[in-house]
Amino acid sequence: PNTPVPFTYNIGGGTPSGGSISGFVYNDLDGDGVKDTNESGIASRTVYIDSDNDSVLDAGEKSAVTNASGQYTLTSVNAGTHKVREVLPAGWSQTFPTNPLSYSILTTGNEYICGLDFGMKDDTLLLSGIVYTDVNGNGLFDGNDVRLPNQLVRITGANGNYNIFTNSF
């Protein structure tokens, strides 16, 4: 679904041996907190149970790393209330869930809880290039073209204008 809805599935009867929690970490390209069809999963992201609720993955806290499709599964989850979070790499922000940036899950320890998805947005922007006078008008920077230092470059987008002042050759 476009807006994930967590649900629980009971694995079976008997003595609880630990359930699992799973979900998906996706690249929320437009930052709207909704997984759109063009937004894919992110591999190698860490999701964990924050046992001491300090928003830091500590030694001994249960964690899982997303696979190539962005899916993760925390296994052998015992009964109790668990705070599920993701580790945010530098330059990324979490777009889903927000306020709080985690899930609080109550489990009996014998359930399969899925749909705990996390949206992430890359906040870094790297642009590079050369501002120059295209002397021969061929659209390529070549031997006769003149570099123009200290130029204002304006990037326009759906969310407004962004000015970038360059000072490089």
Side-chain angles (χ1 to χ4, degrees):
N2 285 342
T3 303
V5 178
F7 67 91
T8 301
Y9 177 75
N10 192 343
I11 293 174
T15 305
S17 59
S20 64
I21 295 173
S22 67
F24 185 72
V25 176
Y26 64 94
N27 189 353
D28 189 2
L29 298 171
D30 57 8
D32 66 355
V34 176
K35 186 187 177 309
D36 300 313
T37 57
N38 66 324
E39 295 173 336
S40 60
I42 305 175
S44 303
R45 297 304 166 101
T46 302
V47 176
Y48 66 102
I49 295 177
D50 191 4
S51 300
D52 57 2
N53 198 24
D54 66 352
S55 301
V56 175
L57 173 59
D58 300 310
E61 289 182 326
K62 188 174 295 296
S63 66
V65 176
T66 58
N67 66 15
S69 300
Q71 297 173 333
Y72 73 91
T73 301
L74 296 159
T75 59
S76 301
V77 177
N78 294 323
T81 300
H82 304 286
K83 193 70 81 165
V84 181
R85 301 182 190 275
E86 68 174 322
V87 175
L88 287 172
W92 288 78
S93 60
Q94 185 172 312
T95 63
F96 187 84
T98 58
N99 202 22
L101 296 174
S102 62
Y103 291 97
S104 185
I105 300 298
L106 174 63
T107 177
T108 61
N110 198 28
E111 300 141 321
Y112 178 71
I113 299 170
C114 58
L116 301 186
D117 297 343
F118 291 90
M120 299 178 75
K121 183 175 182 305
D122 187 352
D123 293 328
T124 62
L125 177 62
L126 175 62
L127 298 174
S128 64
I130 300 169
V131 178
Y132 63 94
T133 300
D134 190 5
V135 174
N136 60 7
N138 67 353
L140 302 171
F141 180 72
D142 51 34
N144 295 325
D145 295 331
V146 178
R147 293 176 188 251
L148 301 172
N150 303 320
Q151 299 297 306
L152 178 67
V153 177
R154 183 175 305 262
I155 300 171
T156 58
N159 296 329
N161 297 330
Y162 304 92
N163 294 327
I164 299 173
F165 186 72
T166 72
N167 191 16
S168 59
F169 271 88

